[in-house]
């Protein structure tokens, strides 16, 4: 193991250099070990800091994973999600409705400050998000995957764009598939990455529509939601206006990255319509039911890493001509 990781540490930077040399700047790609020369401790700094953050607040693992997802789906993985509205208003990506429940901004800023102290203006905020998402999953007992690096930070962030590009909680598979396809992700990725809902919590307005006033039949509830479970959720989430109550998407193990999310979905206890929708399409349904057996945890871990790598490639800015390396993640240079 030690030998293997040693070898990997030697070989990956070499492969990275070869790739860099082979590709023209215009077609620059993300590469493993991108900072091995310019900031050799970059990945260790991120890992060490993320460890401290999660040790102090285990519930941040989900939000850190979600930040990378929201970043990648709007303008590509360019850390636009971290920017404040430059005019002090509420027109930035993070101010968009689906984004208003995002957390973890302070933690990202703290890690970025450590990186700036070690290697100024070198490691992009977009790469920090990709690394922290991976490390958060590992710390929640989930899989690890190699994160190729070299993303650069964008200079634009827009609330309206975020509202249009992010999948809504009420999405059905055709809509979700369309939004995923725009980011180079297919139906399998949709089934796999929805498994991220094994971590974290949701605010009542994200699912209250399924409990109240959904349809005049079924007493106003969403018929695709297990009725006993709906009763239980109603005791927690009193109305569509309740913004204080939190519920887990994977009750019982919402701090552990595992396949139990799929068992809830298979029992018609997925929290969002988008979770329930996975049962309505043959491809996603097959995946949910297979993972729900609990006999394919290793497959899910492998799949999740592969889909995260794909997501992390979405619309990236690379090469000196594109974007910048922000000094602070909430403001352009
Ligand atoms: C399939 C489309 C998706 C939809 C419709 C969706 C929707 C949502 C919603 C509505 C919430 C709750 C927000 C709140 O009320 O606080 C949430 C939370 C979360 N989502 Fe998703 N999501 C999707 C895909 C993803 C993906 C691809 C990831 C990551 C790879 C992800 C990771 C998370 C995490 C970790 C949380 C919990 C955050 C926390 O604890 O604060 N989601 N999602
Ligand atoms: C990370 O933490 C490990 C273990 O505590 C330590 O040995 C290492 O020097 C740290 N690395 C950096 C770059 O902070
Ligand atoms: C119920 O739904 C109808 C039609 O969509 C809407 O006009 C009404 O405001 C909703 N009521 C509540 C309490 O959300
Ligand atoms: C980072 C950020 O802008 N977060 C905001 C999200 O929305 C809530 C209100 O819903 C604000 O309180 C946060 O400041």
């Amino acid at each position: 193991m030690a030998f293997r990781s040693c070898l990997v540490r030697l070989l990956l930077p070499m492969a990275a250099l070869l790739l860099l040399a082979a590709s023209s700047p215009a077609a620059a790609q993300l590469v493993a070990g991108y900072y091995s020369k310019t900031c050799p401790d970059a990945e260790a700094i991120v890992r060490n800091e993320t460890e401290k953050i999660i040790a102090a607040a285990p519930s941040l693992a989900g939000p850190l994973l979600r930040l990378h997802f929201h970043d990648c789906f709007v303008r590509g993985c360019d850390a636009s999600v971290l920017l404040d509205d430059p005019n002090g208003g509420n027109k930035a990506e993070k101010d968009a409705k689906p984004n208003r429940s995002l957390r973890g901004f302070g933690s990202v800023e703290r890690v970025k400050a450590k990186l700036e102290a070690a290697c100024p203006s070198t490691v992009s905020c977009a790469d920090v998000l990709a690394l922290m998402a991976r490390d958060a999953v590992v710390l929640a007992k989930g899989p690890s995957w190699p994160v190729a690096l070299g993303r650069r930070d964008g200079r634009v962030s827009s609330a309206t764009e975020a509202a249009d590009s992010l999948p809504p909680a009420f999405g059905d598979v055709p809509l979700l598939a369309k939004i995923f396809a725009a980011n180079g992700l297919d139906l399998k990725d949709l089934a796999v990455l929805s498994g991220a809902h094994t971590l974290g919590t949701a605010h009542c307005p994200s699912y209250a529509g399924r409990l109240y006033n959904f349809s005049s039949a079924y007493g106003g509830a969403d018929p695709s939601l297990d009725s006993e479970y709906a009763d239980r959720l109603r005791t927690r989430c009193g109305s569509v206006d309740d913004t204080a109550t939190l519920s887990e998407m994977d009750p019982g193990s919402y701090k552990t990255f595992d396949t139990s999310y799929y068992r809830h979905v298979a029992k018609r206890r997925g929290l969002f319509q988008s979770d329930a929708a996975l049962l309505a399409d043959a491809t996603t349904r097959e995946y949910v039911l297979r993972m729900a057996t609990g006999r394919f945890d290793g497959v899910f871990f492998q799949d999740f890493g592969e889909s995260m790598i794909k997501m992390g490639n979405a619309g990236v800015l690379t090469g000196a001509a594109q974007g910048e390396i922000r000094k602070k993640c909430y403001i352009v240079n």
Side-chain angles (χ1 to χ4, degrees):
M1 194 65 195
F3 171 72
R4 216 185 107 205
S5 82
C6 220
L7 199 65
V8 166
R9 260 184 229 151
L10 279 171
L11 287 179
L12 283 185
M14 278 166 60
L17 284 177
L18 282 177
L19 272 172
L20 270 181
S23 59
S24 70
Q29 297 280 311
L30 303 181
V31 287
Y34 182 81
Y35 299 110
S36 59
K37 282 262 154 35
T38 52
C39 192
D41 286 338
E43 293 194 45
I45 291 170
V46 175
R47 188 175 56 242
N48 283 5
E49 289 305 307
T50 307
E51 256 170 38
K52 286 183 211 157
I53 287 160
I54 300 295
S59 76
L60 274 178
L64 289 175
L65 173 58
R66 188 169 179 234
L67 269 182
H68 180 46
F69 155 55
H70 275 219
D71 182 35
C72 293
F73 269 55
V74 189
R75 292 194 158 254
C77 320
D78 68 344
S80 50
V81 70
L82 301 177
L83 288 174
D84 284 341
D85 183 335
N87 302 315
N90 57 357
K91 298 258 182 337
E93 209 172 300
K94 57 165 63 158
D95 302 309
K97 201 172 167 203
N99 247 354
R100 268 185 264 145
S101 54
L102 290 175
R103 294 197 295 137
F105 293 97
S107 306
V108 176
E109 222 59 60
R110 174 173 150 184
V111 173
K112 172 64 173 172
K114 288 272 174 190
L115 289 165
E116 284 300 297
C119 344
S121 298
T122 304
V123 182
S124 69
C125 297
D127 279 346
V128 174
L129 283 178
L131 288 169
M132 287 181 82
R134 189 266 315 271
D135 294 346
V137 167
V138 170
L139 292 164
K141 303 193 167 65
S144 187
W145 59 91
V147 177
L149 300 167
R151 296 170 189 78
R152 290 172 64 86
D153 299 324
R155 295 194 181 94
V156 177
S157 179
S158 149
T160 43
E161 219 169 59
D164 294 343
S165 316
L166 287 164
F170 57 78
D172 58 11
V173 170
L175 176 63
L176 298 172
K178 196 175 141 210
I179 294 173
F180 271 60
N183 293 289
L185 299 166
D186 60 23
L187 266 185
K188 181 181 178 187
D189 298 311
L190 170 62
V192 171
L193 291 174
S194 293
H197 290 163
T198 178
L199 293 179
T201 54
H203 293 76
C204 179
S206 296
Y207 60 90
R210 309 183 70 197
L211 308 177
Y212 308 100
N213 205 23
F214 188 87
S215 65
S216 49
Y218 308 102
D222 179 348
S224 74
L225 180 63
D226 174 72
S227 60
E228 230 173 79
Y229 194 55
D231 287 343
R232 208 184 307 163
L233 288 172
R234 262 187 229 101
T235 65
R236 296 177 57 87
C237 166
S239 82
V240 284
D241 304 318
D242 174 355
T243 52
T245 306
L246 291 172
S247 291
E248 298 97 42
M249 288 84 85
D250 182 10
S253 86
Y254 76 104
K255 288 181 191 164
T256 307
F257 191 100
D258 56 21
T259 52
S260 64
Y261 159 82
Y262 291 106
R263 284 185 278 289
H264 288 289
V265 174
K267 285 191 283 192
R268 303 168 69 247
R269 294 177 171 205
L271 192 57
F272 310 132
Q273 274 163 268
S274 68
D275 299 317
L278 298 177
L279 289 178
D281 170 273
T283 305
T284 52
R285 177 187 176 83
E286 193 271 337
Y287 194 83
V288 168
L289 297 182
R290 198 151 61 92
M291 292 309 130
T293 63
R295 285 187 280 116
F296 300 99
D297 292 14
V299 173
F300 173 54
F301 275 27
Q302 177 75 28
D303 288 345
F304 194 79
E306 285 170 13
S307 291
M308 286 297 289
I309 289 170
K310 272 173 87 175
M311 188 179 90
N313 277 319
V316 292
L317 305 175
T318 53
Q322 296 184 322
E324 63 182 16
I325 306 295
R326 260 178 241 153
K327 287 182 176 303
K328 293 192 169 122
C329 293
Y330 61 87
I331 187 167
V332 298
N333 291 342

